[in-house]
Amino acid sequence: MRLTLFLLINFMAILSFSQEKIIPSKQQLKASASVSLNTNGMAPVPAFSLDKPAIMASVLLIKNRFSYEPTLAYGFDRRPWFIDNWMHYKLIVKPAFELRAGFNPSSYFSQYALSDEYILYCQRFYTFELAGMYRFSHANSLSLLCWSDRGQETGSIKGLYFGLFWDKPCVNFCGKVEMDLSIQLYYINYTGNNDGLFISPKITSPVRKSPFSIFLQANQAIQSNITPFPKFKFNTGISYTF
């Protein structure tokens, strides 16, 4: 039933796009990349984390309405954590509103320790996304995301993620420090009693006259049937963008 609803929403979005007037664009390919060091790696869904230091590297390629954003995440022990391959297409592009669809064939790695070695187990996931963003102003926006995660291996989890994001970049603190503030309120409903409502605020502060920035992120469960009840999580780190 949930998957049917998700596909229906996608169909309505595509129908709306078909009624939009597409304006040809000669926009050149835009590229950027970032590398971050994390004290307690948090996944894109912050309820799931590595719970130890991690390094994450991302590349963003944008061409007209298309974008591709691969991400590699490793523990400090050089063992892989996850690989994302987000591909997005903007269905509707307006000054104050955007609607996009996305697909992510990803891989998550688990470790099983033996007496003198370890086994690395890979689980593949297909994630389908529908996301809308409304801009109140140039520096204030609200986004709603819906993901349908489908684990491909026997025993891997499946389910839905709904996220509400509020982004407020360039917030001045005491007139001296600039910060980007985002708050994520999200609900997950996955197999295996992995359900719950969470909130995850994040503060990012660029280091003046440098490509570095520092960030703080927290995650707190509001309501959940996960046993034991999810603990408060905190992550901090530094990132380099080029």
Side-chain angles (χ1 to χ4, degrees):
M1 178 62 183
R2 296 190 183 96
L3 181 58
T4 302
L5 179 61
F6 184 83
L7 294 176
L8 179 60
I9 295 174
N10 272 278
F11 174 75
M12 294 173 64
I14 294 172
L15 182 60
S16 299
F17 168 65
S18 67
Q19 297 174 350
E20 289 284 311
K21 182 178 179 181
I22 301 176
I23 302 175
S25 173
K26 295 182 180 180
Q27 181 183 6
Q28 294 183 348
L29 178 67
K30 296 182 179 180
S32 62
S34 65
V35 178
S36 66
L37 302 178
N38 302 258
T39 59
N40 182 27
M42 285 188 177
V45 178
F48 307 111
S49 62
L50 187 62
D51 294 329
K52 59 183 179 181
I55 180 171
M56 302 170 65
S58 299
V59 175
L60 177 60
L61 303 174
I62 302 175
K63 176 67 173 180
N64 298 328
R65 293 174 180 251
F66 291 95
S67 65
Y68 173 53
E69 187 173 7
T71 300
L72 296 176
Y74 280 76
F76 274 22
D77 55 7
R78 296 178 296 176
R79 297 174 184 175
W81 174 23
F82 71 83
I83 301 173
D84 273 349
N85 287 282
W86 272 112
M87 292 169 279
H88 290 112
Y89 181 77
K90 293 182 179 180
L91 301 170
I92 298 176
V93 181
K94 292 185 176 181
F97 177 74
E98 290 185 3
L99 181 68
R100 76 183 186 194
F103 174 63
N104 176 26
S106 62
S107 300
Y108 278 80
F109 299 87
S110 302
Q111 302 175 22
Y112 297 93
L114 300 178
S115 57
D116 56 352
E117 59 183 3
Y118 71 94
I119 297 175
L120 196 62
Y121 176 62
C122 175
Q123 290 183 311
R124 298 168 300 154
F125 289 85
Y126 292 156
T127 303
F128 301 88
E129 178 195 69
L130 185 65
M133 179 181 69
Y134 183 80
R135 294 187 183 91
F136 298 99
S137 65
H138 177 71
N140 197 348
S141 66
L142 188 68
S143 302
L144 178 63
L145 281 68
C146 177
W147 292 351
S148 176
D149 286 324
R150 319 305 297 175
Q152 300 302 299
E153 270 66 47
T154 302
S156 57
I157 63 174
K158 299 177 175 65
L160 294 174
Y161 159 90
F162 297 94
L164 185 65
F165 282 81
W166 177 66
D167 291 299
K168 180 67 175 178
C170 300
V171 178
N172 288 321
F173 182 72
C174 297
K176 297 181 180 180
V177 181
E178 288 189 355
M179 299 184 300
D180 295 339
L181 172 64
S182 67
I183 299 176
Q184 177 184 175
L185 179 68
Y186 65 96
Y187 173 75
I188 57 174
N189 186 351
Y190 288 92
T191 54
N193 288 327
N194 288 298
D195 306 339
L197 179 66
F198 299 79
I199 187 169
S200 179
K202 184 177 182 180
I203 297 174
T204 304
S205 180
V207 179
R208 290 187 177 183
K209 298 180 180 180
S210 79
F212 291 95
S213 61
I214 56 176
F215 57 88
L216 303 166
Q217 184 179 9
N219 187 74
Q220 175 63 55
I222 300 174
Q223 182 278 329
S224 177
N225 64 357
I226 300 175
T227 304
F229 192 82
K231 297 180 180 179
F232 172 80
K233 294 181 180 180
F234 180 78
N235 180 40
T236 185
I238 184 170
S239 63
Y240 177 85
T241 303
F242 52 95

